[in-house]
Amino acid sequence: MRQLRLLAAVAVVIGHGYVLHGETPAPRVGGIPLHTLGLYIFFTVSGYLITSSWNRWPNLPSFLRNRALRILPALAAVVLLTVLVIGPLATDLTLSEYLTSYPTWLYLSGVLLVPQYELPGVFVSHLSPAVNGSLWTLGIEACCYIATALLGVALRRFAWAGTLILGVASIALALQPAGGPLESLRAVGAVCCYFAIGALACHLRVDRRHFPALLVVCLGVGWLALGAVNAPVATMCAWVVVPALVLATALRSKNSTSKVDVSYGVYLWGYPIQQLVIQVNPDLPVAFSVALTILFTLAVATLSWHHLEAPALGLKRSGKLGAISRLRSKPALRASTA
């Protein structure tokens, strides 16, 4: 599923590029903006994989440690480098004013999944002064991880029922009317429902046999056609069609021999790099600006993977192997002391 996650991350970068250049609406697929569709793909895949991980190794401390090792090191790096490198280079303030400003250091709360979006004097002349608008989803995804584990602990083999209830509640949030008291939670409900659908598919052991090729093609073509004529209805249909297309693609794809996974790094770095490209050359055509952003982002994400994310995942694997070896050694220990 690495290729699918990378495709989703690049879609987020492209969509954000159009928005940050003021080229709205961003390109749409099935009535959904490209960057939003990328998020839906991410959350669907994440729901499936995270639930699969829990089902294989239902140990709460190990699960939480492994999720932290996957998310936090790369997140800490992007937050720290944003404050200490991007901020001083891009701010309109003097270095002294920037470093003594309280919001500068408040931005570090992003390491704890409490994102701040602006830095003093940074990108203030842009259409959006947000330094990294992509960070808003990380806390939500972490909450989805915790919910997966808690449902597994509390309900065990009936965790699918709890997942279904949370999915229905998420759809209810996503359908909140504009101007209503819960309007701000619509985007949260939308991404959470895709996570729940992916998780439910894992619980129900959905596999590629459930996605005949002809059915998948018909769903995709019909959804694209509907998006061209009635985007609101296509958006609602996407709750069924997008997870079906994502899972059909992922479950049919062959396992890659490469262990490199730069999708998370692309997601983390795409937004601030796009803002820097705009700052350096605001008159660059949007297509060229987005292309440059993707190239720079892939380079930074590759460095992040090899020097930060992969070593952190090595700790995750060694911890699991250590736990397995301890479990295997216990019977021998008991036998030797009997």
Side-chain angles (χ1 to χ4, degrees):
M1 294 189 182
R2 293 188 184 94
Q3 297 91 337
L4 194 57
R5 290 201 300 264
L6 178 58
L7 180 64
V10 171
V12 171
V13 174
I14 294 172
H16 282 161
Y18 277 82
V19 172
L20 292 174
H21 274 273
E23 297 286 340
T24 53
R28 292 175 178 262
V29 178
I32 301 174
L34 195 57
H35 49 292
T36 304
L37 180 61
L39 282 180
Y40 294 165
I41 295 172
F42 255 129
F43 272 79
T44 302
V45 172
S46 184
Y48 189 92
L49 292 179
I50 294 302
T51 303
S52 176
S53 176
W54 171 263
N55 290 342
R56 288 195 311 270
W57 188 256
N59 179 278
L60 185 58
S62 295
F63 178 84
L64 295 178
R65 181 202 64 210
N66 292 345
R67 302 287 72 77
L69 286 172
R70 183 66 186 102
I71 291 179
L72 296 182
L75 174 62
V78 74
V79 170
L80 288 171
L81 289 172
T82 298
V83 170
L84 300 177
V85 178
I86 294 177
L89 289 174
T91 185
D92 291 340
L93 305 179
T94 65
L95 184 59
S96 175
E97 290 172 330
Y98 173 81
L99 292 176
T100 56
S101 177
Y102 174 70
T104 298
W105 304 108
L106 182 62
Y107 193 91
L108 295 177
S109 65
V111 175
L112 302 176
L113 300 174
V114 184
Q116 306 298 316
Y117 299 105
E118 297 180 18
L119 282 170
V122 177
F123 305 143
V124 290
S125 62
H126 294 199
L127 289 174
S128 169
V131 180
N132 196 341
S134 297
L135 300 184
W136 74 275
T137 64
L138 298 183
I140 298 168
E141 185 158 0
C143 290
C144 290
Y145 295 171
I146 293 171
T148 299
L150 293 181
L151 287 174
V153 170
L155 301 179
R156 297 183 181 273
R157 60 192 180 93
F158 295 106
W160 66 268
T163 302
L164 178 61
I165 292 171
L166 289 180
V168 171
S170 298
I171 291 175
L173 284 178
L175 292 175
Q176 290 298 306
L182 298 178
E183 180 186 8
S184 61
L185 296 178
R186 291 168 65 184
V188 175
V191 294
C192 286
C193 93
Y194 282 94
F195 185 96
I197 292 169
L200 190 60
C202 182
H203 281 306
L204 299 180
R205 298 182 180 180
V206 170
D207 59 35
R208 67 183 192 177
R209 294 173 299 173
H210 296 93
F211 301 103
L214 181 60
L215 174 61
V216 171
V217 171
C218 290
L219 275 176
V221 172
W223 177 59
L224 292 175
L226 182 60
V229 297
N230 194 325
V233 174
T235 300
M236 296 183 66
C237 292
W239 288 327
V240 174
V241 177
V242 170
L245 295 176
V246 167
L247 293 173
T249 302
L251 295 174
R252 286 177 180 274
S253 62
K254 295 181 180 180
N255 292 330
S256 173
T257 57
S258 173
K259 296 184 181 298
V260 177
D261 184 1
V262 299
S263 58
Y264 184 45
V266 169
Y267 183 78
L268 286 178
W269 283 102
Y271 201 104
I273 289 176
Q274 179 68 82
Q275 289 283 54
L276 284 172
V277 170
I278 293 172
Q279 175 124 333
V280 172
N281 194 337
D283 298 323
L284 197 66
V286 62
F288 289 103
S289 179
V290 169
L292 280 176
T293 298
I294 292 173
L295 288 175
F296 292 141
T297 302
L298 285 171
V300 174
T302 300
L303 290 173
S304 175
W305 169 258
H306 286 292
H307 297 288
L308 192 60
E309 297 169 59
L313 290 177
L315 296 174
K316 165 184 164 181
R317 285 190 290 269
S318 64
K320 183 176 289 188
L321 290 173
I324 292 173
S325 64
R326 286 194 297 273
L327 286 172
R328 288 177 175 174
S329 67
K330 284 182 180 179
L333 178 62
R334 287 196 297 267
S336 65
T337 56

